[in-house]
């Protein structure tokens, strides 16, 4: 089965630094998502992206966050100035079309902010 | 707003035991309901889904029935295996954009 690939699997950074989390969605998919899970808490929606623009974002997705699909294959999440509370597992997901509700998830990037 | 609540884990069972993981939801309208599973070191995978009331989703011996009257979507399996050890997430669809709202996940550990 096709896969969503995320890199790196673990990222350690200092507070205040910028990080970029990378994702390669399934090649013919059109809808892209970022979710995160703080340890012991729920998986939370961050943002959805379609047709080269954000279609929906949560309250968590403030000005420190941005997403980009720079080259038609990668889908990135940038955190401009990381905070301790950004430490979490970040999941990328994609799906093929609006009629299909099945999301394909990557295995996640564990971000640790020190 | 819409939300999903799952039973607290971890759940520890012996092989061949019966499994129930409770999931209840709060939603306006009629969302689709899902169970996702995460095996160690892997991403979330769709296990099963149901799109309307009284639908039963099933896959790999797991079942869940969409119960509108009790706003529940409990996951069941008649006889678990060690290979079922994973984290199980209940979720509902929120709107047309594919956004999912997840429960907190329930860790299942099956011992031989």
């Amino acid at each position: 089965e096709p896969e969503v690939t995320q890199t790196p699997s673990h990222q350690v950074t200092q507070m205040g630094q910028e990080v970029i989390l990378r994702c390669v969605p399934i090649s013919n998919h059109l809808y892209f998502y970022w979710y995160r899970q703080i340890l012991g808490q729920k998986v939370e929606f961050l943002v959805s992206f379609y047709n080269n623009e954000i279609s929906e974002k949560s309250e968590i997705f403030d000005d420190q966050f941005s997403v980009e699909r720079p080259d038609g294959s990668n889908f990135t999440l940038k955190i401009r100035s990381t905070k301790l509370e950004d430490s979490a597992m970040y999941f990328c997901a994609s799906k093929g079309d609006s009629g299909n509700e099945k999301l394909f998830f990557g295995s996640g990037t564990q971000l640790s902010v020190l | 707003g819409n939300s999903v609540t799952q039973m607290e884990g971890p759940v520890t069972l012996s092989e061949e035991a019966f499994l129930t993981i409770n999931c209840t939801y709060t939603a306006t309208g009629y969302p689709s309901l899902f169970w996702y599973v995460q095996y160690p070191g892997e991403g979330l995978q769709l296990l099963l889904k149901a799109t309307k009331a009284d639908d039963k989703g099933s896959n790999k011996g797991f079942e869940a029935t969409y119960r509108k009257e009790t706003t529940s979507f409990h996951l069941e399996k008649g006889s678990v295996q060690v290979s079922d050890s994973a984290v199980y997430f209940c979720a509902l669809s929120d709107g047309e954009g594919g956004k999912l709202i997840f429960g907190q996940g329930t860790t299942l550990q099956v011992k031989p």
Side-chain angles (χ1 to χ4, degrees):
Chain A
E1 190 170 63
E3 287 185 345
V4 174
T5 305
Q6 288 187 245
T7 55
S9 55
H10 292 87
Q11 173 94 45
V12 180
T13 189
Q14 296 290 324
M15 192 168 56
Q17 295 296 303
E18 174 183 287
V19 294
I20 297 176
L21 309 183
R22 299 181 192 279
C23 171
V24 179
I26 293 169
S27 63
N28 60 347
H29 280 188
L30 303 175
Y31 296 79
F32 313 107
Y33 308 84
W34 283 100
Y35 289 80
R36 78 172 187 190
Q37 186 181 27
I38 295 171
L39 187 64
Q41 298 185 23
K42 295 187 176 188
V43 176
E44 300 171 293
F45 168 78
L46 292 179
V47 65
S48 58
F49 191 87
Y50 169 72
N51 201 24
N52 282 320
E53 61 183 23
I54 290 172
S55 45
E56 188 175 357
K57 59 184 180 179
S58 71
E59 293 174 353
I60 304 166
F61 194 89
D62 61 20
D63 292 345
Q64 293 299 311
F65 291 86
S66 62
V67 289
E68 195 176 33
R69 188 155 161 79
D71 56 11
S73 64
N74 289 284
F75 179 52
T76 61
L77 174 70
K78 183 194 292 188
I79 308 175
R80 212 176 323 278
S81 175
T82 50
K83 307 192 247 323
L84 296 176
E85 54 266 36
D86 293 328
S87 296
M89 178 72 86
Y90 288 81
F91 294 104
C92 173
S94 68
K95 77 180 178 103
D97 59 58
S98 60
N100 186 347
E101 293 177 298
K102 181 177 178 180
L103 266 64
F104 290 78
F105 283 83
S107 54
T109 294
Q110 180 65 54
L111 175 65
S112 298
V113 182
L114 306 179
Chain B
N2 295 347
S3 65
V4 175
T5 302
Q6 285 179 241
M7 65 186 284
E8 294 272 341
V11 174
T12 303
L13 295 173
S14 297
E15 212 165 18
E16 299 183 3
F18 184 86
L19 168 71
T20 300
I21 300 179
N22 289 339
C23 170
T24 57
Y25 67 90
T26 303
T28 53
Y30 304 100
S32 294
L33 302 174
F34 305 83
W35 277 99
Y36 277 81
V37 58
Q38 185 181 28
Y39 299 103
E42 299 183 17
L44 283 77
Q45 303 171 27
L46 180 64
L47 180 60
L48 53 85
K49 74 174 191 180
T51 56
K52 61 183 187 297
D54 300 325
D55 264 6
K56 179 187 283 188
S58 60
N59 185 25
K60 300 181 182 179
F62 291 89
E63 293 183 340
T65 301
Y66 191 142
R67 300 278 188 212
K68 185 161 152 270
E69 62 276 12
T70 54
T71 60
S72 65
F73 193 55
H74 304 321
L75 182 69
E76 296 181 336
K77 187 174 184 182
S79 175
V80 293
Q81 306 301 311
V82 172
S83 56
D84 293 327
S85 299
V87 183
Y88 292 81
F89 294 90
C90 186
L92 63 80
S93 61
D94 187 12
E96 295 182 358
K99 173 181 156 190
L100 296 177
I101 293 178
F102 285 90
Q104 69 269 41
T106 303
T107 300
L108 171 65
Q109 185 176 25
V110 180
K111 296 188 172 177

